Amino acid sequence: MTSAARQDEPSATGAGDPAPAPQFHGTVWVALILMLWLGVQPARAAAPDPLPAWNDGPAKRSISKFVEDATHAGAPTFIPPSERVATFDNDGTLWSEQPSYFQLAFTLWRIKSLARRHPEWQAEEPFKSVLAGDAQGALQQGQAALLELIQATHTGMTLDEFSGAVKEWAATAKHPKTGRLYTEMVYQPMLELLAYLRANGFKTYIVSGGGVEFMRPWVERVYGVAPEQVIGSRGALRFELRASGPVLVKEATVDFVNDGPGKPVSIENFIGRRPVFAFGNSDGDQQMLQWTAAGAGLRFMGIVHHTDDAREWAYDRQSSIGKLDQALDEASTKGWLVVDMKKDWKRIYPFDK
Amino acid sequence: MTSAARQDEPSATGAGDPAPAPQFHGTVWVALILMLWLGVQPARAAAPDPLPAWNDGPAKRSISKFVEDATHAGAPTFIPPSERVATFDNDGTLWSEQPSYFQLAFTLWRIKSLARRHPEWQAEEPFKSVLAGDAQGALQQGQAALLELIQATHTGMTLDEFSGAVKEWAATAKHPKTGRLYTEMVYQPMLELLAYLRANGFKTYIVSGGGVEFMRPWVERVYGVAPEQVIGSRGALRFELRASGPVLVKEATVDFVNDGPGKPVSIENFIGRRPVFAFGNSDGDQQMLQWTAAGAGLRFMGIVHHTDDAREWAYDRQSSIGKLDQALDEASTKGWLVVDMKKDWKRIYPFDK
């Protein structure tokens, strides 16, 4: 522990502590006094890089500069701690979203684990195809079939039951390409960014098109984001007073789709403040980025561009998942940061060497 | 400042500070060392009462006991800081709600200030009656007339415009009985309770049937509750990209009525944790209290009972505003705290002597 670091800690024994003073040589005293006087901060100089999975370059530098400017007391760029709201999309921004949204993988997994209770599914589409291992065949039956799968796995049960299923999936289900848990397929550079912002007094929120109740069971453990800072799409909940006590039941009605123009709306509904920092990866994040950009004072808008088909996936304007087209153009016009995954990220996943 | 208080503060100059030590007599040293050794904490003994507007009695004692039990590290009643979620109704729980909900007073006030832009209102009901000073006559025209007044004052404008109107009302409009600003008619004992809980690591939320955008412009200043901890009824918002930039427009559709069984639903939607502490004053809070009570571990459920028609108002089972009937019975059966305003509160409003 350096002397400068100790200055930020409470004195363990009080100012009037009669314990013997540490023995320093005179020259050490002189050096310490000089350092204090000159404002030299050895602890800061020695602090580890908060963003080690980011390659040195303009992307990393722009993030560091934003955080330094935002926290520089007295500077015109200073942002008061209560206004340090940072919002992140989830799919494709904090974790992967290929070959299909991970919530769809959960849906198909859940169909299989619910099949015991539904012997009739063996003969009924789209369940029959899913149970026969032909997910593609099930999904090709169209939007109504997909909705049926979602209803069967996401509604008509208590919230506790649903959360339990999500936890089991998160703890066991593996991704077909990497063989890793889905919750391991989160981006190491973004984990570092979340932690770096929080260490500088920012509140980090997830603002995702995914279901809020699908995220809450694991995002605190994985991202360090508390349940009350997770905003997502919502199905209706119904309060029911049962003999065993009150429960919340997940209903079939969709209450809110948290995508595109829905994102600024739910940010206002839930947070009631405009973010100063927002990160997304697709056109579904464009309005959140516009809303963030239009506020007064210092702001930061970032986009993850999937450019790495060796370590992750490469897709943008033509993709059916995470399509990035208009937002990419706007980012270029407005000078928002576009992260080139291949160039800017030293590691993708925590398990990468 | 006592020595014990200083122990909780960072040392201003560092452990190796060469400044001359304060001069203490030997006996003071001995006393200080003894106090540290015995674990005596003079600062705590001398701490001011956090609830001075509460009369000493079972109500005050049950609150203090809950907070002590919840924060007692190592005790079976201990509640980890992240789980310290406290939810409060607003109308009739944190501020008065008679002779009519204060949001209705805002509505009538706003009709008058918008009348310049609507010359046709002089001849059109229910506006005509409001503008002629006959609010009662306007309201007696029924539910549709009330809805028309609410739509005219709460929708079809940007959120910024609405918030500005609320701020102006909060800063100027006076209550007909007390002649005080509405935002002064908040309960001093509840302000103290909010602050006491926050000082002990609780997050205090408002969970009100009132409009969320009607509360946010003033509750942080008045109650110390940040915008992101305010949950209320919600009208639809629409994101619109104008030439001048993006705006949120308040639409006529009601998105969510945050009352009765809606309260546990929105608590789950917004917070994603079950409260350990909840306070209400009417049957509209009963499900929030039930939901809070049904969790595991230490919990606290409280009800403000309006019993003081000298200093405030007295009403319960028969009232059309803030009806307290079934929740009062359940409180008595379940042993929830029922605050007797007349007996338990030394002062009602901050301006009371």
Side-chain angles (χ1 to χ4, degrees):
Chain A
M1 186 188 289
T2 69
S3 169
R6 281 193 67 167
Q7 288 182 45
D8 295 323
E9 295 184 349
S11 163
T13 49
D17 187 349
Q23 300 298 314
F24 283 107
H25 292 290
T27 47
V28 175
W29 276 123
V30 172
L32 279 171
I33 293 165
L34 267 176
M35 283 197 302
L36 287 169
W37 183 60
L38 294 169
V40 175
Q41 296 173 323
R44 183 178 290 182
D49 179 359
L51 302 171
W54 292 75
N55 285 314
D56 290 323
K60 179 173 179 169
R61 273 200 302 276
S62 72
I63 292 170
S64 306
K65 181 164 174 16
F66 169 81
V67 171
E68 281 158 23
D69 289 349
T71 55
H72 186 170
T77 54
F78 180 75
I79 301 174
S82 63
E83 296 292 333
R84 292 184 198 161
V85 169
T87 55
F88 290 83
D89 171 56
N90 184 36
D91 298 302
T93 300
L94 298 180
W95 72 351
S96 291
E97 59 183 350
Q98 298 286 359
S100 62
Y101 292 121
F102 290 3
Q103 192 167 356
L104 178 59
F106 162 76
T107 302
L108 301 174
W109 171 93
R110 184 70 177 146
I111 290 288
K112 288 174 197 156
S113 67
L114 285 174
R116 265 171 294 132
R117 295 192 223 163
H118 294 277
E120 74 279 11
W121 284 357
Q122 302 293 342
E124 266 176 26
E125 290 294 357
F127 307 100
K128 186 180 165 183
S129 294
V130 174
L131 296 177
D134 182 18
Q136 215 47 42
L139 298 175
Q140 277 162 3
Q141 294 167 37
Q143 205 62 24
L146 175 61
L147 195 64
E148 221 177 324
L149 296 172
I150 291 173
Q151 303 275 24
T153 50
H154 286 68
T155 72
M157 66 194 78
T158 67
L159 185 58
D160 280 352
E161 185 181 350
F162 180 75
S163 301
V166 173
K167 274 182 199 150
E168 193 190 331
W169 173 82
T172 59
K174 305 270 173 70
H175 189 277
K177 180 182 162 189
T178 64
R180 297 282 182 159
L181 295 177
Y182 288 94
T183 48
E184 290 181 280
M185 293 180 64
V186 296
Y187 304 134
Q188 178 62 27
M190 298 305 279
L191 296 180
E192 294 169 4
L193 176 55
L194 287 166
Y196 179 43
L197 289 171
R198 286 193 294 262
N200 283 281
F202 286 81
K203 274 192 174 176
T204 53
Y205 286 84
I206 293 174
V207 180
S208 168
V212 62
E213 305 298 359
F214 171 70
M215 295 184 281
R216 281 191 176 136
W218 54 269
V219 295
E220 186 159 26
R221 173 175 58 81
V222 173
Y223 300 138
V225 175
E228 61 267 34
Q229 282 158 227
V230 181
I231 303 172
S233 293
R234 299 189 298 280
L237 291 175
R238 181 170 43 81
F239 178 83
E240 198 180 295
L241 201 52
R242 296 187 176 170
S244 56
V247 293
L248 292 174
V249 179
K250 281 177 67 59
E251 301 258 272
T253 324
V254 173
D255 255 2
F256 192 81
V257 177
N258 193 39
D259 196 34
K263 290 198 175 189
V265 166
S266 67
I267 286 170
E268 176 55 34
N269 277 332
F270 280 71
I271 311 178
R273 302 185 195 266
R274 193 193 296 249
V276 293
F277 184 108
F279 233 106
N281 79 301
S282 79
D283 286 357
D285 302 311
Q286 190 173 7
Q287 288 85 355
M288 173 170 78
L289 295 163
Q290 289 169 341
W291 183 242
T292 303
L298 186 67
R299 358 228 87 219
F300 187 99
M301 284 64 61
I303 287 177
V304 174
H305 190 188
H306 294 264
T307 52
D308 194 331
D309 64 356
R311 297 184 300 170
E312 208 241 5
W313 283 270
Y315 57 97
D316 49 30
R317 297 184 191 272
Q318 310 300 326
S319 180
S320 65
I321 292 168
K323 179 179 176 176
L324 175 64
D325 183 28
Q326 294 188 33
L328 191 58
D329 292 338
E330 186 164 0
S332 143
T333 314
K334 304 270 180 74
W336 301 344
L337 173 66
V338 177
V339 171
D340 182 332
M341 193 179 251
K342 191 169 182 174
K343 217 176 70 191
D344 290 325
W345 286 1
K346 204 174 288 176
R347 290 159 68 201
I348 306 282
Y349 301 121
F351 55 79
D352 286 340
K353 294 288 167 248
Chain B
M1 185 188 289
T2 69
S3 168
R6 282 194 65 167
Q7 289 182 42
D8 296 322
E9 295 184 347
S11 165
T13 50
D17 187 351
Q23 300 300 313
F24 283 106
H25 292 291
T27 48
V28 175
W29 276 124
V30 171
L32 280 171
I33 293 164
L34 267 175
M35 285 197 301
L36 286 169
W37 183 60
L38 293 168
V40 175
Q41 297 175 321
R44 184 177 291 182
D49 178 0
L51 302 171
W54 292 73
N55 284 314
D56 291 323
K60 180 172 179 169
R61 273 199 302 276
S62 72
I63 292 171
S64 306
K65 182 166 173 16
F66 168 81
V67 171
E68 281 158 23
D69 290 349
T71 55
H72 185 169
T77 54
F78 180 74
I79 301 174
S82 63
E83 295 293 333
R84 292 184 199 160
V85 169
T87 55
F88 291 82
D89 171 57
N90 184 36
D91 298 302
T93 300
L94 298 180
W95 72 353
S96 291
E97 59 183 351
Q98 298 286 0
S100 63
Y101 293 120
F102 290 2
Q103 193 167 356
L104 179 58
F106 162 76
T107 303
L108 301 174
W109 171 92
R110 184 72 177 144
I111 290 287
K112 288 173 197 159
S113 67
L114 286 173
R116 264 171 294 134
R117 292 192 224 164
H118 294 276
E120 73 282 9
W121 284 357
Q122 303 292 341
E124 266 176 27
E125 290 294 359
F127 306 101
K128 186 181 164 184
S129 294
V130 174
L131 296 176
D134 182 17
Q136 215 48 43
L139 299 176
Q140 277 162 3
Q141 294 168 37
Q143 205 62 26
L146 175 61
L147 194 65
E148 221 177 324
L149 295 173
I150 292 174
Q151 303 274 24
T153 51
H154 286 68
T155 70
M157 65 193 80
T158 67
L159 185 59
D160 280 351
E161 186 180 350
F162 180 75
S163 301
V166 173
K167 274 183 199 149
E168 192 190 333
W169 172 82
T172 59
K174 304 269 173 71
H175 189 277
K177 180 181 162 192
T178 63
R180 296 282 183 161
L181 295 176
Y182 288 94
T183 49
E184 289 181 279
M185 293 181 65
V186 297
Y187 304 134
Q188 179 62 29
M190 298 304 280
L191 296 180
E192 293 168 3
L193 176 54
L194 288 167
Y196 179 43
L197 288 170
R198 285 192 295 261
N200 282 280
F202 286 80
K203 273 193 174 176
T204 54
Y205 285 85
I206 293 174
V207 180
S208 168
V212 61
E213 305 297 359
F214 171 69
M215 296 185 280
R216 281 189 177 138
W218 55 269
V219 296
E220 186 158 27
R221 174 176 57 81
V222 173
Y223 300 137
V225 175
E228 60 267 33
Q229 281 158 230
V230 181
I231 303 172
S233 293
R234 299 190 299 279
L237 291 175
R238 181 169 44 81
F239 179 84
E240 198 180 295
L241 201 52
R242 297 186 176 170
S244 54
V247 292
L248 292 173
V249 179
K250 281 176 66 60
E251 300 258 272
T253 324
V254 173
D255 255 3
F256 192 79
V257 177
N258 193 39
D259 196 33
K263 290 198 176 190
V265 166
S266 67
I267 287 170
E268 176 55 35
N269 276 333
F270 280 71
I271 312 179
R273 302 185 196 267
R274 193 192 297 249
V276 293
F277 183 108
F279 232 106
N281 79 301
S282 79
D283 286 357
D285 303 311
Q286 191 173 6
Q287 288 84 357
M288 173 171 77
L289 295 163
Q290 290 168 341
W291 182 242
T292 303
L298 186 69
R299 358 227 88 220
F300 187 99
M301 284 64 61
I303 287 177
V304 174
H305 190 188
H306 294 263
T307 52
D308 193 331
D309 64 357
R311 297 184 300 170
E312 209 242 3
W313 284 270
Y315 57 97
D316 49 30
R317 296 185 192 271
Q318 310 299 326
S319 179
S320 64
I321 291 167
K323 179 178 178 178
L324 175 64
D325 183 30
Q326 295 188 33
L328 192 56
D329 292 338
E330 185 163 1
S332 144
T333 315
K334 304 271 179 74
W336 301 344
L337 173 67
V338 178
V339 172
D340 182 332
M341 194 180 252
K342 190 170 183 174
K343 218 176 71 192
D344 291 325
W345 287 359
K346 205 173 287 176
R347 290 158 69 201
I348 307 283
Y349 301 121
F351 55 79
D352 286 340
K353 293 289 165 245

